[in-house]
Amino acid sequence: MSTASAAVLIAGVSARALAESAARAGADVIAIDAYGDLDLRRIARVVAIPRTRNGSFDSMRVARASRRIDAGAVAYVSSFENSPAAVATLARGRTLLGNSPLVLKRVRDPLALARALPPLGAHTPAVRASPPLVSDATRWLLKPRRSGGGHGIVRWMRGMPVPRSSIVQERIRGRAGSIVFIADGVHVLPLALTRQLSGDPAFGASGFAYCGSILEPGHPELFANACELAATIAREFALRGVCGIDFIARGTIPYAIEVNPRPTASMELVERATGTSIWLAHVAGCTSALPSGVETGGARSVAHGKAVLYARRPVVLGDTDRWLADDDVRDIPAPGERIARGSPICTIFASGRTSARCYAALARRARIRFAEIEGRMRRKSA
């Protein structure tokens, strides 16, 4: 299939990153997501499906709406991996550029993942569907079975019930990271190791909410072990396309927390750092063999990072059209848009010679952006 000769539909909570990569590669993109941001509208035909009243993204609702769209192929991003039935609806009569509903049912089942990995020599936290024993002193997290972006995760305390929609997962102390890779159902091509940012007040985030990634240089032993983890999981679950695995590293040993069987939030850092087309890599992994000529490994001299800014209070945005001129700002809302407290405002990017300098640059840009947005609100209310 030629992705440049027929329209491709990209669907998910936020389709901008993958749509941008696809458009850069020459694809005719139709995007359906929850935001319909300004920068997405510059590169794709956009159908925006707002979130429900409680703020959730209804994948099946979006999948049904997609049936009115004329597209020969479809790819999905978060949070379609949690709804195999919605993916089946999306893909009906189209070429599916992504993992099948059958694969999703297995790899997104946290209990099945926890059972499958230890016999394969991979490390993963303990997972339970019922409350831990009172005598068990291990610390646990209560997580939705259909998890995504760290939302809805809380610390489990003695006496807390475990709803059927949740699990409890052993809390591993260590460094949060991820491995991004391409798979073709059998083989794996590792792309990058990232440091994960979550719940960071510097970006308006709280709790365990994902708020960014840093593509780091160095850590060769951890990278090698994460590559082995990715290869093990990809073979066991027959993964295809660009995928990611979130982990907690104890020293150089990654403990698999969650598998993201679709293009991840950190993938665009790979494209920024190396020029590798994530879209073309994803299509190759889904439809044929792994691509050649792709830069792999963690031996880079510069750290590249992104951060998602969350509103620290309710805001009404001013002139965001001018943000389009800044190549280090993405996911740009429309002028005058109302952003509720705790909702994402935009994504910012930065780089630095080290991970620490990259993080400092991200935090500095966040302060400037918050000062601009919140300062305008104070002047308006004065």
Side-chain angles (χ1 to χ4, degrees), residues 15 31 33 46 72 92 109-110 115 152 169 176 184 186 193 248 256 309 324 329 339-340 360 364 370:
D33 78 352
V46 177
R92 192 167 64 244
D109 181 340
R115 288 192 298 267
Q169 185 179 70
D184 65 1
V186 178
L193 189 74
I248 300 294
L309 303 190
L324 291 166
V329 182
I339 309 290
R364 184 167 56 252
F370 280 134

Side-chain angles (χ1 to χ4, degrees), residues 322-337:
R322 58 193 179 84
W323 294 6
L324 291 166
D326 188 342
D327 192 48
D328 289 325
V329 182
R330 290 289 192 278
D331 303 317
I332 300 170
E337 188 165 327

Side-chain angles (χ1 to χ4, degrees), residues 40-376:
L40 177 61
R41 293 184 179 277
R42 291 202 306 180
I43 59 172
R45 289 172 280 165
V46 177
V47 178
I49 306 291
R51 295 188 181 211
T52 60
R53 287 185 178 181
N54 67 3
S56 64
F57 180 79
D58 189 334
S59 299
M60 183 55 79
R61 178 185 173 207
V62 172
R64 288 171 178 155
S66 80
R67 303 312 309 166
R68 302 190 298 268
I69 297 171
D70 183 16
V74 62
Y76 59 86
V77 291
S78 180
S79 57
F80 272 95
E81 69 274 14
N82 290 325
S83 183
V87 170
T89 299
L90 269 181
R92 192 167 64 244
R94 298 171 173 141
T95 299
L96 176 60
L97 300 174
N99 285 293
S100 72
L102 288 176
V103 169
L104 298 181
K105 284 179 182 178
R106 287 191 67 218
V107 79
R108 290 296 295 176
D109 181 340
L111 294 169
L113 186 68
R115 288 192 298 267
L117 294 190
L120 300 173
H123 297 271
T124 188
V127 174
R128 298 176 58 98
S130 58
L133 300 175
V134 174
S135 60
D136 190 344
T138 304
R139 295 187 178 183
W140 298 83
L141 297 174
L142 182 67
K143 301 178 64 173
R145 287 178 185 253
R146 296 184 172 187
S147 58
H151 299 290
I153 299 175
V154 297
R155 292 179 177 85
W156 183 84
M157 307 293 289
R158 286 184 181 179
M160 289 177 64
V162 180
R164 294 186 65 181
S165 60
S166 301
I167 50 95
V168 282
Q169 185 179 70
E170 178 189 5
R171 189 178 186 189
I172 303 293
R173 297 288 183 178
R175 157 201 176 96
S178 73
I179 179 76
V180 182
F181 58 93
I182 316 166
D184 65 1
V186 178
H187 307 99
V188 162
L189 192 61
L191 294 175
L193 189 74
T194 75
R195 167 189 168 193
Q196 299 283 81
L197 306 176
S198 61
D200 193 329
F203 308 114
S206 61
F208 294 89
Y210 170 83
C211 59
S213 305
I214 296 178
L215 195 70
E216 296 185 307
H219 310 292
E221 191 172 351
L222 175 59
F223 181 74
N225 291 334
C227 291
E228 185 175 347
L229 176 67
T232 298
I233 291 176
R235 284 194 301 267
E236 175 66 17
F237 294 94
L239 296 180
R240 286 187 171 275
V242 174
C243 303
I245 299 170
D246 295 339
F247 61 77
I248 300 294
R250 268 186 182 168
T252 62
I253 303 301
Y255 284 68
I257 301 296
E258 188 169 276
V259 178
N260 294 307
R262 41 79 182 162
T264 68
S266 56
M267 65 175 187
E268 61 184 327
L269 293 176
V270 176
E271 192 152 334
R272 281 185 166 237
T274 68
T276 296
S277 171
I278 292 297
W279 173 252
L280 294 180
H282 185 61
V283 171
C286 291
T287 61
S288 57
L290 293 178
S292 59
V294 174
E295 181 179 330
T296 65
R300 300 186 177 95
S301 58
V302 175
H304 295 264
K306 66 180 286 186
V308 180
L309 303 190
Y310 293 87
R312 301 187 292 194
R313 55 182 62 89
V315 296
V316 179
L317 298 178
D319 178 18
T320 54
D321 283 312
R322 58 193 179 84
W323 294 6
L324 291 166
D326 188 342
D327 192 48
D328 289 325
V329 182
R330 290 289 192 278
D331 303 317
I332 300 170
E337 188 165 327
R338 295 177 179 272
I339 309 290
R341 180 184 177 186
S343 294
I345 300 173
C346 65
T347 301
I348 58 174
F349 296 84
S351 59
R353 290 183 59 189
T354 65
S355 177
R357 290 187 179 183
C358 181
Y359 175 86
L362 285 171
R364 184 167 56 252
R365 289 184 177 176
R367 288 194 298 270
I368 294 170
R369 192 66 60 186
F370 280 134
E372 173 193 344
I373 295 167
E374 296 170 356
R376 177 184 176 277

